[in-house]
Amino acid sequence: NSELFTLTYGALVTQLCKDYENDEDVNKQLDKMGYNIGVRLIEDFLARSSVGRCHDFRETADVIAKIAFKMYLGITPSITNWSPGGDEFSLILENNPLVDFVELPDNHSSLIYSNLLCGVLRGALEMVQMAVDVKFVQDTLKGDSVTEIRMKFIRRIEDNLPAGEE
Amino acid sequence: VGHAVLAINGAEVNGRVTADGKDVMEFLSNPANYPVSIRFGRHRLSSNEKLMLASMFHSLFAIGSQLSPEVGSSGIEMLETDTFKLHCFQTLTGIKFMVLADPRQAGIDALLRKIYEIYSDFALKNPFYSLEMPIRCELFDQNLKLALEAAEKAGPFGPGS
């Protein structure tokens, strides 16, 4: 049942807004919380989906959009706007379960409401040795027609590689 | 023979003393307590021994993958001796699950994957469990016990036999 989920997330964001009073800090907290979720969620994902290691960023994009998003949010974003180097792509979300029924008021124009998702993706990928940058570049809450998340591969995390993965 | 009493009538035994403080030999020599069901098995490792085993094996696992003549070899997945088999499963995130079992025990691969699921459920989804700390979650222990019992019951031919 997604209503409770939407309400719970909404309660979380509004409480953070009360606690922190400025949008930037709330965005940071959402990212941090998302990160803590991501580092745990990845194990659940790997345990349940039996997906193997991705050989390149394109495979990673496919797995994220077609398996992970489907599994956890019930949606399948489309993958577009690949950079020429193959190290950046966009996820286009037609609908975002976190923002059902939500309208951003004018006094929170720099709030990235669903920033938790960026943290989750960042945390999860870090646990499989990928450093990425994730950010929203379009948001239906801000009047854009779609919600677009841009993901950029920064580097492979070489310290603490699991044995056998060099 | 190297076997020790692990449990009497279902309750675990600690050394020579039962869970409610009675001496095991006394209990067994009193006919009033019969019939009694006794579980024998290999002596269980203490927490310290487990820590030592894990840290030693962690290095051996890595050395194993480097020593291998095959390029891109994984670490040590299975170590077989006359008295036990050690199985190791490493996740993509670098966590290793190790199981020490009887050499004839089958179904360990499935067991390792089940343990991964149990870990991701009862340890990771418990917000009060901190990553990389010892897991002191009751639900984790309970479910782990169930999985182990299911694997043991299945015997040398795996589940479904």
Coordinates of all heavy atoms in Angstrom, one line a residue, chain B residues 58-110:
Chain B
H58 N 40.2 -14.6 6.2 CA 40.1 -13.4 5.4 C 41.4 -13.2 4.6 O 41.3 -12.9 3.4 CB 39.8 -12.2 6.3 CG 39.8 -10.9 5.6 ND1 38.7 -10.4 4.9 CD2 40.7 -9.9 5.5 CE1 39.0 -9.2 4.3 NE2 40.2 -8.9 4.7
S59 N 42.5 -13.3 5.3 CA 43.8 -13.2 4.6 C 44.0 -14.3 3.6 O 44.5 -14.1 2.5 CB 44.9 -13.1 5.6 OG 44.6 -12.3 6.7
L60 N 43.7 -15.5 4.1 CA 44.0 -16.7 3.2 C 43.1 -16.6 1.9 O 43.6 -16.9 0.9 CB 43.6 -18.0 4.0 CG 44.6 -18.4 5.1 CD1 44.1 -19.6 5.8 CD2 46.0 -18.6 4.5
F61 N 41.9 -16.1 2.1 CA 41.0 -16.0 1.0 C 41.6 -15.1 -0.1 O 41.7 -15.4 -1.3 CB 39.7 -15.4 1.5 CG 38.6 -15.2 0.5 CD1 37.7 -16.2 0.2 CD2 38.5 -14.0 -0.3 CE1 36.7 -16.1 -0.7 CE2 37.5 -13.9 -1.2 CZ 36.6 -14.9 -1.4
A62 N 42.2 -13.9 0.4 CA 42.8 -13.0 -0.6 C 44.0 -13.6 -1.2 O 44.2 -13.5 -2.4 CB 43.1 -11.7 0.1
I63 N 44.8 -14.2 -0.4 CA 46.1 -14.9 -0.9 C 45.7 -15.9 -1.9 O 46.4 -16.0 -3.0 CB 46.9 -15.5 0.3 CG1 47.4 -14.4 1.2 CG2 48.0 -16.3 -0.3 CD1 48.1 -14.9 2.4
G64 N 44.7 -16.7 -1.6 CA 44.2 -17.7 -2.5 C 43.9 -17.2 -3.9 O 44.3 -17.7 -4.9
S65 N 43.3 -16.0 -4.0 CA 42.9 -15.5 -5.3 C 44.2 -15.0 -6.0 O 44.2 -15.0 -7.2 CB 41.9 -14.3 -5.2 OG 42.5 -13.1 -5.0
Q66 N 45.2 -14.5 -5.3 CA 46.4 -14.1 -5.9 C 47.3 -15.2 -6.4 O 48.0 -15.1 -7.4 CB 47.2 -13.2 -4.9 CG 46.3 -12.1 -4.3 CD 47.0 -10.8 -4.3 OE1 48.1 -10.7 -4.6 NE2 46.2 -9.8 -4.0
L67 N 47.3 -16.3 -5.6 CA 48.1 -17.4 -5.9 C 47.7 -18.2 -7.1 O 48.4 -18.9 -7.8 CB 48.1 -18.4 -4.7 CG 49.1 -18.2 -3.6 CD1 49.0 -19.3 -2.6 CD2 50.6 -18.2 -4.1
S68 N 46.4 -18.0 -7.4 CA 45.8 -18.9 -8.4 C 46.5 -18.7 -9.8 O 46.7 -17.5 -10.2 CB 44.3 -18.6 -8.5 OG 43.8 -19.2 -9.7
P69 N 46.7 -19.7 -10.5 CA 47.3 -19.6 -11.8 C 46.3 -19.0 -12.8 O 46.7 -18.4 -13.9 CB 47.7 -21.0 -12.2 CG 46.9 -21.9 -11.4 CD 46.6 -21.1 -10.1
E70 N 45.0 -19.1 -12.5 CA 44.0 -18.5 -13.4 C 43.9 -17.0 -13.2 O 43.9 -16.6 -12.0 CB 42.6 -19.1 -13.1 CG 42.5 -20.6 -13.5 CD 42.2 -20.7 -14.9 OE1 41.4 -19.9 -15.5 OE2 42.7 -21.6 -15.5
V71 N 43.7 -16.2 -14.2 CA 43.6 -14.8 -14.1 C 42.1 -14.5 -13.6 O 41.2 -15.2 -14.0 CB 43.8 -14.1 -15.4 CG1 43.5 -12.6 -15.3 CG2 45.2 -14.3 -15.9
G72 N 42.0 -13.6 -12.7 CA 40.6 -13.2 -12.2 C 40.0 -14.3 -11.4 O 38.8 -14.4 -11.4
S73 N 40.8 -15.0 -10.7 CA 40.2 -16.1 -9.9 C 39.6 -15.5 -8.6 O 40.0 -14.5 -8.1 CB 41.4 -17.1 -9.5 OG 40.9 -18.0 -8.5
S74 N 38.6 -16.2 -8.1 CA 38.0 -15.8 -6.9 C 38.9 -16.3 -5.7 O 39.9 -17.0 -5.9 CB 36.6 -16.4 -6.7 OG 36.7 -17.7 -6.3
G75 N 38.5 -15.9 -4.5 CA 39.2 -16.4 -3.3 C 38.8 -17.8 -3.1 O 38.1 -18.4 -3.8
I76 N 39.3 -18.3 -1.9 CA 39.0 -19.7 -1.5 C 37.5 -19.9 -1.3 O 37.0 -19.3 -0.4 CB 39.8 -20.1 -0.3 CG1 41.3 -20.0 -0.6 CG2 39.5 -21.6 0.1 CD1 42.2 -20.3 0.6
E77 N 36.9 -20.8 -2.0 CA 35.4 -21.0 -1.8 C 35.2 -22.2 -1.0 O 34.1 -22.3 -0.3 CB 34.7 -21.1 -3.1 CG 34.6 -19.7 -3.9 CD 33.9 -19.9 -5.2 OE1 33.6 -21.0 -5.6 OE2 33.7 -18.8 -5.8
M78 N 36.1 -23.1 -1.0 CA 35.9 -24.3 -0.2 C 37.2 -24.9 0.2 O 38.1 -25.0 -0.6 CB 35.1 -25.3 -1.1 CG 34.2 -26.2 -0.2 SD 34.6 -27.9 -0.5 CE 34.2 -28.1 -2.2
L79 N 37.2 -25.3 1.5 CA 38.4 -25.9 2.1 C 38.0 -27.3 2.6 O 37.1 -27.3 3.5 CB 38.9 -25.0 3.2 CG 40.3 -25.4 3.8 CD1 41.4 -24.9 2.9 CD2 40.4 -24.6 5.1
E80 N 38.5 -28.3 2.1 CA 38.0 -29.7 2.5 C 39.1 -30.4 3.3 O 40.3 -30.5 2.9 CB 37.7 -30.5 1.3 CG 37.1 -31.8 1.7 CD 36.4 -32.5 0.5 OE1 36.5 -32.0 -0.6 OE2 35.9 -33.7 0.7
T81 N 38.7 -30.9 4.4 CA 39.6 -31.8 5.2 C 38.9 -33.1 5.5 O 37.8 -33.2 5.1 CB 40.1 -31.1 6.5 OG1 39.0 -31.2 7.4 CG2 40.5 -29.7 6.3
D82 N 39.6 -34.0 6.3 CA 38.9 -35.2 6.6 C 37.8 -35.0 7.5 O 36.8 -35.7 7.5 CB 39.9 -36.2 7.3 CG 40.9 -36.7 6.3 OD1 40.6 -36.7 5.1 OD2 42.0 -37.1 6.8
T83 N 37.9 -34.0 8.4 CA 36.9 -33.9 9.5 C 35.9 -32.8 9.2 O 34.8 -32.7 9.8 CB 37.6 -33.6 10.8 OG1 38.5 -32.5 10.6 CG2 38.3 -34.8 11.3
F84 N 36.2 -31.8 8.3 CA 35.2 -30.8 8.1 C 35.4 -30.2 6.7 O 36.4 -30.4 6.1 CB 35.2 -29.7 9.2 CG 36.5 -28.8 9.1 CD1 36.5 -27.7 8.3 CD2 37.6 -29.2 9.8 CE1 37.6 -26.9 8.2 CE2 38.8 -28.4 9.7 CZ 38.8 -27.3 8.9
K85 N 34.4 -29.4 6.3 CA 34.5 -28.6 5.1 C 34.2 -27.2 5.4 O 33.2 -26.9 6.1 CB 33.5 -29.1 4.0 CG 34.0 -29.8 2.9 CD 32.9 -30.1 1.8 CE 33.3 -31.0 0.7 NZ 32.2 -31.4 -0.1
L86 N 35.0 -26.3 5.0 CA 34.8 -24.9 5.2 C 34.3 -24.3 3.9 O 35.0 -24.4 2.9 CB 36.0 -24.2 5.7 CG 36.0 -22.7 6.1 CD1 37.0 -22.4 7.2 CD2 36.2 -21.8 4.9
H87 N 33.1 -23.7 3.9 CA 32.6 -23.0 2.7 C 32.6 -21.5 2.9 O 32.3 -21.0 4.0 CB 31.2 -23.5 2.4 CG 31.0 -24.9 2.3 ND1 30.8 -25.6 1.1 CD2 31.0 -25.9 3.2 CE1 30.7 -26.9 1.3 NE2 30.8 -27.1 2.6
C88 N 33.0 -20.8 1.9 CA 33.0 -19.3 2.0 C 32.3 -18.7 0.7 O 32.6 -19.1 -0.4 CB 34.4 -18.8 2.1 SG 34.5 -17.0 2.2
F89 N 31.4 -17.8 1.0 CA 30.7 -17.1 -0.1 C 31.0 -15.6 0.1 O 30.7 -15.0 1.1 CB 29.2 -17.4 0.0 CG 28.4 -16.5 -0.8 CD1 28.6 -16.3 -2.2 CD2 27.3 -15.8 -0.3 CE1 27.8 -15.5 -3.0 CE2 26.5 -15.0 -1.0 CZ 26.8 -14.8 -2.4
Q90 N 31.6 -15.0 -0.9 CA 31.8 -13.5 -0.8 C 30.8 -12.8 -1.7 O 30.7 -13.1 -2.9 CB 33.3 -13.2 -1.3 CG 33.5 -11.7 -1.3 CD 35.0 -11.3 -1.5 OE1 35.7 -10.9 -0.6 NE2 35.4 -11.5 -2.7
T91 N 30.2 -11.8 -1.1 CA 29.2 -11.0 -1.9 C 29.9 -9.9 -2.7 O 31.1 -9.7 -2.5 CB 28.2 -10.3 -0.9 OG1 29.0 -9.3 -0.2 CG2 27.6 -11.3 0.0
L92 N 29.2 -9.3 -3.6 CA 29.8 -8.2 -4.4 C 30.3 -7.1 -3.6 O 31.1 -6.2 -4.0 CB 28.8 -7.8 -5.5 CG 28.5 -8.8 -6.6 CD1 27.5 -8.1 -7.6 CD2 29.7 -9.3 -7.3
T93 N 29.7 -7.0 -2.4 CA 30.1 -5.9 -1.5 C 31.3 -6.2 -0.6 O 31.7 -5.4 0.2 CB 28.9 -5.5 -0.6 OG1 28.5 -6.7 0.1 CG2 27.8 -4.9 -1.4
G94 N 31.8 -7.5 -0.8 CA 33.0 -7.9 0.0 C 32.7 -8.5 1.3 O 33.6 -8.9 2.0
I95 N 31.4 -8.8 1.7 CA 31.1 -9.5 2.9 C 31.3 -11.0 2.6 O 30.9 -11.5 1.6 CB 29.7 -9.2 3.3 CG1 29.5 -7.7 3.6 CG2 29.3 -10.0 4.6 CD1 28.1 -7.4 4.1
K96 N 31.9 -11.7 3.6 CA 32.1 -13.1 3.4 C 31.2 -13.8 4.4 O 31.2 -13.5 5.6 CB 33.6 -13.5 3.7 CG 34.5 -12.9 2.6 CD 35.9 -13.5 2.7 CE 37.0 -12.5 2.9 NZ 36.8 -11.2 2.2
F97 N 30.5 -14.9 3.9 CA 29.8 -15.8 4.8 C 30.5 -17.1 4.8 O 30.8 -17.6 3.8 CB 28.4 -16.0 4.3 CG 27.5 -14.7 4.3 CD1 27.4 -13.9 3.2 CD2 26.9 -14.4 5.5 CE1 26.7 -12.7 3.3 CE2 26.1 -13.2 5.6 CZ 26.0 -12.4 4.4
M98 N 30.8 -17.6 6.0 CA 31.6 -18.8 6.1 C 30.8 -19.9 6.9 O 30.2 -19.5 7.9 CB 32.9 -18.6 6.9 CG 33.8 -17.8 6.1 SD 35.2 -17.2 7.1 CE 35.7 -18.6 7.9
V99 N 30.8 -21.1 6.4 CA 30.1 -22.2 7.1 C 31.0 -23.3 7.3 O 31.7 -23.7 6.3 CB 28.8 -22.6 6.2 CG1 28.3 -23.9 6.8 CG2 27.8 -21.6 6.2
L100 N 31.1 -23.8 8.5 CA 31.9 -25.0 8.8 C 30.9 -26.2 8.9 O 30.0 -26.1 9.7 CB 32.6 -24.9 10.1 CG 33.8 -23.9 10.2 CD1 34.2 -23.7 11.6 CD2 34.9 -24.5 9.4
A101 N 31.1 -27.2 8.0 CA 30.2 -28.3 8.0 C 30.8 -29.6 7.9 O 32.0 -29.7 7.6 CB 29.2 -28.1 6.8
D102 N 30.0 -30.6 8.2 CA 30.5 -32.0 8.0 C 30.8 -32.2 6.5 O 30.1 -31.6 5.6 CB 29.3 -33.0 8.4 CG 29.7 -34.4 8.4 OD1 29.8 -35.0 7.3 OD2 30.0 -34.9 9.5
P103 N 31.9 -32.9 6.2 CA 32.3 -33.1 4.8 C 31.2 -33.7 3.9 O 31.1 -33.4 2.7 CB 33.5 -34.0 4.8 CG 34.0 -34.0 6.2 CD 32.8 -33.6 7.1
R104 N 30.2 -34.4 4.5 CA 29.2 -35.1 3.7 C 28.0 -34.2 3.5 O 27.1 -34.5 2.8 CB 28.8 -36.4 4.3 CG 29.9 -37.5 4.2 CD 29.6 -38.5 5.4 NE 29.6 -37.8 6.7 CZ 29.2 -38.4 7.8 NH1 28.7 -39.7 7.7 NH2 29.3 -37.8 8.9
Q105 N 27.9 -33.1 4.2 CA 26.7 -32.2 4.2 C 26.6 -31.6 2.8 O 27.5 -30.9 2.3 CB 26.9 -31.1 5.3 CG 25.7 -30.2 5.4 CD 24.5 -30.8 6.1 OE1 24.6 -31.4 7.1 NE2 23.3 -30.7 5.4
A106 N 25.4 -31.7 2.3 CA 25.2 -31.1 0.9 C 24.3 -29.9 1.1 O 23.8 -29.6 2.2 CB 24.5 -32.1 0.0
G107 N 24.1 -29.1 0.1 CA 23.2 -28.0 0.1 C 23.8 -26.7 0.7 O 23.1 -25.8 1.1
I108 N 25.1 -26.7 0.9 CA 25.7 -25.6 1.6 C 25.6 -24.3 0.7 O 25.4 -23.2 1.2 CB 27.2 -25.8 2.0 CG1 27.2 -27.1 2.9 CG2 27.8 -24.6 2.6 CD1 26.8 -26.8 4.3
D109 N 25.7 -24.4 -0.6 CA 25.6 -23.2 -1.4 C 24.3 -22.6 -1.2 O 24.2 -21.3 -1.1 CB 25.8 -23.6 -2.9 CG 27.2 -23.7 -3.3 OD1 28.1 -23.1 -2.6 OD2 27.6 -24.4 -4.3
A110 N 23.2 -23.4 -1.3 CA 21.9 -22.8 -1.1 C 21.8 -22.2 0.3 O 21.2 -21.2 0.6 CB 20.8 -23.9 -1.2

